[in-house]
Amino acid sequence: MREIPDLLVIGAGLSGLMAAYEAAEAGLRVKVIAKGLGSMHWSAGTVDVLGYAAGDKAVSMPLQELEGLQAVAPHHPYVVAGAEAVTEALSRFVALAKELGLPYEGAEEPGRNLWLPSPVGAARPVYLAPQGQRYGDLALAEPIVVVGFEGLRDFYPWVIAENLRKQGHRARGTVLPFALLSERRDANTVQLAQELDELKRVVTLARALKEVVEPGERVGLPALVGLDRHGRAMEVLQEELGTRVFEIPTLPPSVPGMRLYRALRSDLEGRGVEVEIGMEAVGYEAKEENGGFRRLLWVETATSARPLKHRARAFLLATGGLLGGGFDSNHEGRVWERVFDLPLAMPQNREDWFRPKFLDPAGHPVFQGGVSVDREFRPVSPEGKRLFANLWAAGNGLRDCDGIRERSREGIAIVTGIAAARSILVALRREKHVH
Amino acid sequence: MFTESWQSVGPSLDECIKCNICTAYCPVAAVTDRFPGPKYAGPQAQRFRENGQPHAPDRSVDYCSGCRVCNEVCPTGVKIAELNARARAQMVAEQGIPLRNRLLGRNELLGKLGSLAPRLANLGLHNHVSRVMAEKVVGIAREAPLPRFSEEGTFGSWMKRTAGERLRSDRKVVYFHGCATMYYEPFVGKATVVVLEHLGYEVIVPPQNCCGLPLLSNGEFGAARRYHEGNLHKLVPYAQQGYEIVGSSTSCTLTLKEEAPELLDMFDEESEELKLAVWDVFEWLRERYRQGELPTDFKPLPMVLPYHPPCQYRAHRVGRPAAELLALIPGLDVRVSTARCCGIAGTYGYKREKYQIGMDVGAELFEFVREQGREVRMTACDSETCRWQLEHGTGLPSRHPIEVLAAAYGLYDLERREPRGV
Ligand code: SF4
Ligand code: SF4
């Protein structure tokens, strides 16, 4: 019989893939399964670590904020991991991204957040940006020309420019013909990015840009400058124009997020990690063990007929929360974790899910609830008791964080993914030692 | 423990979060302006098709090939391909069905007719004049890789002829061969039978109907229902006696298990019994392997083999069992393609207006095969129409993985496509 994997990761978002990377690099046999493709496909492709704390207080030095976090949110994943683990995981990501040919950078002053334009021209606090977005930093003085394309559905240069002006930045919008990007009448950002993988098109685009860019301006383009040959395309544009060029994220699908996903996945597959999408985990089998623990034997995924069993020695739940699809809810007010029905730290009464104001700075309780874990990132009961001998959890399904409001989604994914993988490594090594 | 997560097709559209991941991956939207993509044609347009709306909002959904890439990548489980299939059926109900689609939907009937005089039928169909005519009159693309009728008799006639040599055993398994094996490629059935017998199983081949998939994908739901009912009648008694039913066509097994009941809303007990008895042959063989019951007396097959897991595996959601088992064969260097679709998508690429789209979609796969080097002599794929498209797009012969497995057991000649006398 074929040997079973050491680790089964459920979920192919950033936390699952980072955990898979960490474990595979340490020599574990890893398999990743996921219901569909994860949130990297619709987020901006940046690494946001902490943009807002205590309601709507803007954070400029996220790592310095961690200590304060401990007092107000003792179960926050950063607190569980510890400040040192946060810093280390982020450097680990930076090194990996460079290896993948998709370098990420922070602000010039180490530790400070960048403020980058969002798809509507709001300022977004970002800790690490892909090189292509780095020069959108609103702390830089050069005026911005936002260049869109006629008929492109997912990018509105004038809206962005106007909103930037309202915030006191010098910015203007303009458009170029769609035909520069594609012969097609209509195409989405991913298809257009693929068109810009061709050098000839990039050169043509550069020529057209020269006509509209004024001296001293930096150029903001929709994030579709190449999919697999992004680095080359950016270089050519900067060289031809002799000025800074940067990408602004578009409405989904997110090309910068997909670049990272594709690079990570192919790196994992190169390490022998199997990644299978379209596998929805719907159940599991566990046996009682001494000490009151239950040990997971396998996880079941839905197929066209009978469930398919995925055995492993260790299991990592990285399916996200309500937004990522890790939790489901019904009209009676129940919210549950979909695979193991883990207890959730979450208001049980439906009236308490939301605060009255939609954009309340304190956010909504239902988005802040989640799985409780101990220091080793193992799910625990409300009384703090470990639930399974070989289950770990990571990512934005953990309790007491609110990735979108805090602007911490990717930071949480990377930090907890790596921390959980390390804990798994220690546990598996210990077991081997015992046997 | 198995918590049921069933969502019926219609309500699944409410799960859509408009992330557009499906559109980013749809291979058809990637090559043509005629199809706006899964999100628009599926969950979005569906809003206008429901609740007694008088007309389908537009006809572009007809360009969906049914490859189900969208279903696989969707993070929230929207059954986009099924929404599209239902929308096509609604269009057929409103506007009638073209003669061509009627023909393409009737695999079983065509097979029966063709096998009466296969040589004549092949001559009549496979010549330039008749292909031009077929394109002009009924709209079947003249270049499209139509199959040839078997000139050595059907699979059924082989089973009869070799009845005396077939294994008798207490362990029995039922075989669903499908129309392509019956009339065009009996050798796939022969390879399946010799492999199953090598595992010690007696193979029962009961009378059976077309699974109905060609009708479902052309929107003829009424006729498809009659076929499915026929299969329930013929196969459920075996399921009730505890027999497992294996099929060598990934699309037939998918239809029997899930597509037919889901699209036709046939959630009766019998459909459920059939569903739970049916296995794709490699899904079943992998299970034997996991139980330690698969003989591994393989002879080396030294060659590079590009293998394309067909789209239907995506819908089966059982992983890539054929790739797993082929990897056990010594000397065989299996290169698994990650191309999204070969482009033929059942009968899609046969249609005049879709032939070129199909070839453009398949380009990714043909390119993958070329990249594997010049020593490549053949490719492999589990699905018949995909094999024909692969041959058409690469110029290389293509085999069902069961033929490769049979050859590795020394039971089958991979070049001549004939079982070896044992
Ligand atoms: S992938 Fe699914 S959720 Fe996203 S837009 Fe398509 S159907 Fe909607
Ligand atoms: S089934 Fe295939 S062709 Fe149809 S919408 Fe989905 S991905 Fe596109």
Side-chain angles (χ1 to χ4, degrees), chain B residues 7-19:
Chain B
Q7 300 167 2
S8 58
V9 174
S12 81
L13 80 96
D14 287 335
E15 305 282 327
C16 177
I17 56 166
K18 310 292 171 210
C19 66

Side-chain angles (χ1 to χ4, degrees), chain A residues 131-210:
Chain A
Q131 224 168 35
Q133 291 185 44
R134 169 74 181 73
Y135 294 121
D137 190 3
L138 295 171
L140 299 173
E142 299 129 273
I144 295 172
V145 56
V146 183
V147 184
F149 296 89
E150 270 166 44
L152 176 61
R153 272 169 288 139
D154 299 327
F155 191 78
Y156 301 92
W158 290 289
V159 177
I160 297 171
E162 192 185 326
N163 279 332
L164 288 174
R165 281 196 304 275
K166 281 185 187 158
Q167 296 165 79
H169 306 288
R170 282 182 296 162
R172 66 183 180 99
T174 186
V175 287
L176 289 174
F178 189 82
L180 280 170
L181 298 178
S182 172
E183 271 74 53
R184 295 185 52 174
R185 278 178 291 140
D186 183 27
N188 67 42
T189 49
V190 180
Q191 292 152 0
L192 295 173
Q194 260 159 337
E195 302 259 23
L196 285 177
D197 279 342
E198 259 180 61
L199 188 59
K200 236 177 46 213
R201 257 191 215 288
V202 182
V203 174
T204 318
L205 174 62
R207 274 194 212 122
L209 281 168
K210 263 189 192 155

Side-chain angles (χ1 to χ4, degrees), chain B residues 15-22 39 43 73-76 78 80:
Chain B
E15 305 282 327
C16 177
I17 56 166
K18 310 292 171 210
C19 66
N20 249 328
I21 293 178
C22 53
K39 184 184 77 155
V73 298
C74 174
T76 66
V78 180
I80 312 161

Side-chain angles (χ1 to χ4, degrees), chain A residues 254-283:
Chain A
S254 159
V255 173
M258 280 180 68
R259 287 182 196 126
L260 181 59
Y261 171 79
R262 288 158 71 98
L264 253 174
R265 177 169 173 172
S266 76
D267 178 84
L268 287 173
E269 286 174 336
R271 292 169 194 273
V273 176
E274 221 183 312
V275 182
E276 288 196 302
I277 309 296
M279 298 262 178
E280 182 185 4
V282 290

Side-chain angles (χ1 to χ4, degrees), chain B residues 52-310:
Chain B
Q53 300 266 353
H55 299 294
D58 77 304
R59 298 187 57 90
S60 69
V61 70
D62 189 43
Y63 280 86
C64 162
S65 76
C67 70
R68 298 184 196 77
V69 167
C70 49
N71 287 23
E72 177 178 271
V73 298
C74 174
T76 66
V78 180
K79 300 197 169 202
I80 312 161
E82 285 77 11
L83 287 171
N84 292 354
R86 288 188 171 200
R88 259 194 309 276
Q90 193 177 337
M91 262 164 42
V92 165
E94 280 171 25
Q95 297 156 354
I97 176 164
L99 168 68
R100 184 223 18 223
N101 296 12
R102 254 182 220 283
L103 282 175
L104 289 176
R106 283 178 174 67
N107 227 345
E108 182 180 318
L109 184 67
L110 290 178
K112 277 188 183 148
L113 288 174
S115 62
L116 292 176
R119 252 174 225 136
L120 201 65
N122 283 336
L123 265 178
L125 282 174
H126 293 272
N127 68 70
H128 182 67
V129 177
S130 60
R131 291 303 300 268
V132 172
M133 292 278 291
E135 178 171 293
K136 293 235 152 76
V137 181
V138 285
I140 294 175
R142 70 179 80 165
E143 306 92 333
L146 284 185
R148 304 178 71 85
F149 293 106
S150 163
E151 297 184 1
E152 280 121 51
T154 62
F155 171 68
S157 68
W158 178 78
M159 280 302 282
K160 261 194 213 124
R161 211 167 50 237
T162 61
E165 303 159 32
R166 302 272 57 92
L167 182 76
R168 300 278 164 255
S169 163
D170 289 343
R171 287 190 292 167
K172 298 183 200 325
V173 65
V174 173
Y175 177 40
F176 190 90
H177 45 70
C179 303
T181 295
M182 190 64 173
Y183 304 112
Y184 305 118
E185 301 193 325
F187 36 83
V188 170
K190 298 176 195 176
T192 309
V193 169
V194 295
V195 168
L196 294 174
E197 291 184 346
H198 189 61
L199 269 75
Y201 284 82
E202 177 177 337
V203 181
I204 305 171
V205 183
Q208 49 193 268
N209 281 117
C210 171
C211 66
L213 179 64
L215 291 166
L216 287 171
S217 51
N218 283 295
E220 276 197 79
F221 280 18
R225 174 181 291 271
R226 286 190 290 281
Y227 275 143
H228 189 63
E229 280 164 354
N231 277 324
L232 289 177
H233 182 70
K234 288 168 182 154
L235 298 174
V236 166
Y238 290 96
Q240 285 169 342
Q241 289 170 58
Y243 290 113
E244 291 179 321
I245 302 168
V246 303
S248 50
S249 165
T250 40
S251 50
C252 301
T253 50
L254 179 69
T255 308
L256 295 177
K257 282 176 177 183
E258 191 173 48
E259 284 293 287
E262 193 162 273
L263 290 176
L264 302 169
D265 270 327
M266 291 172 73
F267 299 113
D268 50 285
E269 210 172 294
E270 294 203 324
S271 291
E272 187 65 20
E273 279 170 333
L274 183 61
K275 167 185 176 156
L276 292 177
V278 171
W279 297 73
D280 173 73
V281 67
F282 271 93
E283 180 194 13
W284 187 83
L285 289 169
R286 179 178 63 184
E287 195 58 28
R288 301 284 75 72
Y289 175 57
R290 288 186 175 172
Q291 307 293 337
E293 296 164 12
L294 187 80
T296 46
D297 53 335
F298 296 119
K299 298 192 174 48
L301 273 186
M303 63 170 169
V304 173
L305 183 68
Y307 165 66
H308 177 62

